[in-house]
Amino acid sequence: MENQDDKTPKVIGIGGIFFFSDNPNETKNWYSKNLGLDVNDWGSTFESRDLENPDQVNSLQWSPFPKGDDYFSPSKKDFMINYRVQNIEGLLKQLKENGVTIVDNIETYDYGKFVHIMDAEGNKIELWEAV
């Protein structure tokens, strides 16, 4: 059983799956019609309960982006994964020490903190610490 007071800088889940689409609206409509996804302007949000803390609701965002959208830059890949993390500041410090490419600075919004990095394969990764 995981300690809820553990603030070790690490990934604790998947927060989103983002991918390029030739027509994001048609893609969302197809998934809604054929697979029952409840879609909105951004895609679809899946919610689940945290096993260790059932009062906490986690979300995963599924979003098609227009092909070539700059949000994935500098990656040349057709997808980006958002990982939920704890202690984003500590994790970013570790990543810098390990020589990982940091794309931008931590930005804070009412729903969490975000920063982007590049993995060894040239995939842009979004790290998100929820509030």
Side-chain angles (χ1 to χ4, degrees):
M1 197 162 181
E2 201 171 299
N3 179 353
Q4 291 180 358
D5 295 327
D6 179 15
K7 297 299 178 204
T8 304
K10 64 181 178 180
V11 169
I12 56 171
I14 304 244
I17 301 169
F18 311 131
F19 59 95
F20 283 145
S21 169
D22 290 328
N23 189 321
N25 285 330
E26 283 183 18
T27 298
K28 288 187 285 188
N29 290 338
W30 187 94
Y31 276 84
S32 176
K33 176 182 176 185
N34 293 292
L35 297 179
L37 268 64
D38 183 18
V39 298
N40 56 36
D41 289 344
W42 302 108
S44 187
T45 304
F46 297 88
E47 293 184 332
S48 60
R49 297 278 176 185
D50 187 295
L51 289 176
E52 304 300 327
N53 181 9
D55 291 335
Q56 180 179 327
V57 177
N58 295 323
S59 63
L60 181 145
Q61 183 63 41
W62 173 93
S63 298
F65 279 73
K67 195 168 269 294
D69 192 289
D70 286 342
Y71 195 61
F72 291 25
S73 291
S75 176
K76 305 291 186 208
K77 306 294 176 100
D78 289 340
F79 67 93
M80 183 173 64
I81 297 175
N82 167 300
Y83 291 100
R84 287 188 305 111
V85 301
Q86 64 185 24
N87 189 353
I88 196 168
E89 289 88 357
L91 183 56
L92 194 60
K93 181 180 179 219
Q94 285 181 357
L95 294 170
K96 286 178 182 176
E97 290 171 359
N98 291 341
V100 172
T101 300
I102 312 299
V103 176
D104 48 20
N105 296 312
I106 295 174
E107 292 194 25
T108 303
Y109 300 91
D110 58 353
Y111 45 89
K113 298 177 183 179
F114 293 84
V115 69
H116 298 90
I117 65 171
M118 299 295 287
D119 74 7
E121 295 281 324
N123 298 302
K124 186 176 181 183
I125 295 171
E126 185 170 69
L127 303 177
W128 166 49
E129 184 173 22
V131 285

